[in-house]
Amino acid sequence: MHGVAVPELLWCGRDLARFPVHELPARVAVRRAWGGGSKQTHLLVDGRELLDDRACTPQELYTSLRRQYGRWTAHPLLVEEFLEDAAGQPRASQFNFYCFCGTIGLVEHVEHAGYTSHRTAYDASWEPFPGVVYAARPRSEPIPRPPGMDEMLTVARRLGAAYGTFVRVDLYQCSKGIYFGEFSSTPFNGTHIQPWADHLLGQLWQEHCPLSV
């Protein structure tokens, strides 16, 4: 709709009796269409569950889903293609853009290690902030400005403007280019945010979209 690539959708539904357990590729991502937290996500990579770092067959994944949800899930599950980095490794670089309509106030680079995510916050010019946005997430070392950041900023501004209020736009930089991950209107449900980030983001909200909720 807005000219941004999204992962190929292999299946979507709530009825797990229709889950395509025998048709899953060797690398696949399974996640809820609504909700938050990586514990709702399953990354099956060449016979292993990547987040848990354990052996896992498609049948074992299906059994785990049935144990977790029963037959019907409250929200649809998405079965999507797995995004790889430029070297074909089972990972992609994640960048979160805190948008206030078409203005970007903060960018997070996210490094995943299982269920733990290390994050570094930058302004739109790629100058790192001294602290983390969320107390529950450790800070990683700053990295050089990534290639393609200008394009990602353009994409994030376009999506933020279309959203029309505050939203976090998550993008992935992978072997195929820049891909959209998700919108998050209430990251971490608004909890655990550090005072400096709360103050900065609150100021930006008041400045750029004070009447939008």
Side-chain angles (χ1 to χ4, degrees), residues 31-81:
R31 62 191 180 103
R32 294 198 323 181
W34 184 267
S38 58
K39 291 185 179 181
Q40 305 292 342
T41 300
H42 303 272
L43 303 178
L44 194 63
V45 177
D46 304 327
R48 297 195 68 81
E49 166 60 82
L50 195 62
L51 294 178
D52 285 335
D53 192 24
R54 60 180 175 84
C56 184
T57 66
Q59 183 61 51
E60 288 170 332
L61 173 62
Y62 176 69
T63 300
S64 176
L65 292 173
R66 287 298 297 261
R67 187 183 303 117
Q68 181 179 0
Y69 295 112
R71 173 168 173 172
W72 294 90
T73 62
H75 303 288
L77 286 185
L78 307 176
V79 179
E80 299 176 332
E81 71 167 310

Side-chain angles (χ1 to χ4, degrees), residues 96-98 108 119 166-170 182-184 187-188:
N96 300 338
F97 298 82
Y98 291 69
E108 278 184 311
R119 300 165 182 245
F166 165 75
V167 69
R168 195 187 77 190
V169 176
D170 297 356
E182 65 181 7
F183 289 117
S184 181
F188 289 92

Side-chain angles (χ1 to χ4, degrees), residues 36-212:
S38 58
K39 291 185 179 181
Q40 305 292 342
T41 300
H42 303 272
L43 303 178
L44 194 63
V45 177
D46 304 327
R48 297 195 68 81
E49 166 60 82
L50 195 62
L51 294 178
D52 285 335
D53 192 24
R54 60 180 175 84
C56 184
T57 66
Q59 183 61 51
E60 288 170 332
L61 173 62
Y62 176 69
T63 300
S64 176
L65 292 173
R66 287 298 297 261
R67 187 183 303 117
Q68 181 179 0
Y69 295 112
R71 173 168 173 172
W72 294 90
T73 62
H75 303 288
L77 286 185
L78 307 176
V79 179
E80 299 176 332
E81 71 167 310
F82 191 93
L83 300 180
E84 302 171 341
D85 68 8
Q89 295 301 307
R91 58 179 177 267
S93 298
Q94 179 178 342
F95 299 90
N96 300 338
F97 298 82
Y98 291 69
C99 301
F100 300 85
C101 295
T103 297
I104 297 173
L106 186 147
V107 184
E108 278 184 311
H109 174 229
V110 184
E111 296 179 0
H112 292 282
Y115 289 115
T116 300
S117 60
H118 295 75
R119 300 165 182 245
T120 307
Y122 304 82
D123 64 19
S125 299
W126 205 251
E127 290 295 324
F129 289 106
V132 294
V133 177
Y134 300 100
R137 294 293 184 266
R139 185 174 187 263
S140 55
E141 288 298 317
I143 63 171
R145 183 184 178 93
M149 179 51 62
D150 287 344
E151 183 181 356
M152 284 191 283
L153 289 167
T154 298
V155 167
R157 290 188 181 105
R158 183 162 71 246
L159 294 177
Y163 205 87
T165 183
F166 165 75
V167 69
R168 195 187 77 190
V169 176
D170 297 356
L171 301 177
Y172 292 94
Q173 195 173 46
C174 66
S175 59
K176 296 182 179 180
I178 296 169
Y179 272 61
F180 172 76
E182 65 181 7
F183 289 117
S184 181
S185 57
T186 55
F188 289 92
N189 290 324
T191 62
H192 306 298
I193 190 168
Q194 296 283 46
W196 73 267
D198 189 39
H199 178 72
L200 171 66
L201 298 176
Q203 279 189 322
L204 289 166
W205 199 327
Q206 286 296 320
E207 180 179 354
H208 295 286
C209 44
L211 302 180
S212 300

